[in-house]
């Protein structure tokens, strides 16, 4: 969640480019937090929140690195204020992690086998017809070699 905006918060020049979209993501995040989670498994109740966090971080990443619509000051402000996940963006910049869904999926200590999550396995390596869904975030495949 982003930090609370006060009167002392100084927005950098060019903030208007991303402001409306980030406000929309904030609205979606509040709805996801307020959603009832009866009948869902404990991990499933967090999936919408992780998905929105991924989308918001990806939006800022794309605006800065690919379309160059925001400045370095706006990008740094977004990271500092918590609008984007800096650790996730750092992984996206590395080869092989361009489509990474969340950091939990690459942590080997969280898995039973000592490897990464099943969603990181390329779809071509899985048996045909196998539907894979990550237990951490609900991802259905984030291997960089998948189209």
């Amino acid at each position: 969640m982003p930090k609370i905006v006060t009167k002392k918060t100084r927005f950098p020049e060019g903030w208007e480019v991303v402001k409306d979209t980030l406000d929309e993501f904030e609205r979606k995040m509040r709805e996801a937090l307020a959603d009832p989670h009866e009948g869902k498994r404990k991990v499933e109740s967090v999936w919408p929140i992780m998905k929105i966090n991924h989308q918001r971080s990806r939006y800022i990443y794309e605006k800065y690195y690919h379309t160059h619509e925001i400045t370095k000051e706006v990008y740094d402000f977004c990271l500092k204020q918590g609008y984007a996940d800096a650790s996730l963006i750092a992984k996206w910049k590395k080869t092989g992690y361009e489509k990474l869904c969340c950091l939990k999926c690459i942590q080997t200590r969280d898995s039973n086998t000592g490897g990464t999550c099943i969603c990181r396995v390329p779809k071509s390596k899985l048996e045909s017809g196998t539907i894979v869904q990550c237990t951490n975030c609900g991802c259905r495949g984030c291997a960089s070699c998948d189209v």
Side-chain angles (χ1 to χ4, degrees):
M1 295 280 299
K3 294 181 179 178
I4 297 173
V5 177
T6 63
K7 291 180 181 180
K8 292 182 182 181
T9 304
R10 292 185 173 248
F11 295 100
E13 188 175 320
W15 171 250
E16 301 79 30
V17 174
V18 294
K19 181 188 181 310
D20 292 336
T21 307
L22 291 177
D23 287 343
E24 181 65 23
F25 280 127
E26 184 65 26
R27 186 190 60 74
K28 287 180 183 178
M29 183 68 81
R30 289 185 192 279
E31 287 177 7
L33 288 170
D35 254 359
H37 55 272
E38 290 82 23
K40 293 182 183 177
R41 294 182 305 179
K42 187 176 181 181
V43 291
E44 286 180 0
S45 61
V46 182
W47 290 354
I49 296 166
M50 293 185 80
K51 182 179 177 184
I52 294 168
N53 182 50
H54 176 272
Q55 290 172 344
R56 185 172 53 190
S57 297
R58 192 59 151 182
Y59 172 75
I60 292 171
Y61 172 79
E62 293 286 332
K63 288 287 186 185
Y64 182 66
Y65 286 104
H66 294 288
T67 61
H68 305 289
E69 292 181 29
I70 59 174
T71 63
K72 175 82 171 145
E73 292 79 27
V74 174
Y75 175 72
D76 289 338
F77 178 79
C78 290
L79 294 180
K80 183 179 175 187
Q81 293 295 317
Y83 286 104
D85 187 354
S87 303
L88 188 58
I89 290 175
K91 286 293 181 186
W92 286 338
K93 291 189 261 181
K94 294 183 179 181
T95 305
Y97 296 98
E98 295 89 1
K99 293 183 179 181
L100 183 65
C101 55
C102 70
L103 294 174
K104 278 185 159 184
C105 289
I106 58 171
Q107 292 176 345
T108 57
R109 66 173 179 233
D110 291 341
S111 71
N112 294 336
T113 59
T116 59
C117 182
I118 189 70
C119 69
R120 297 289 298 153
V121 177
K123 291 181 181 175
S124 61
K125 303 280 185 194
L126 297 171
E127 295 177 17
S128 63
T130 305
I131 297 174
V132 177
Q133 189 165 18
C134 173
T135 57
N136 294 319
C137 61
C139 171
R140 294 189 181 255
C142 61
S144 293
C145 59
D146 289 340
V147 178

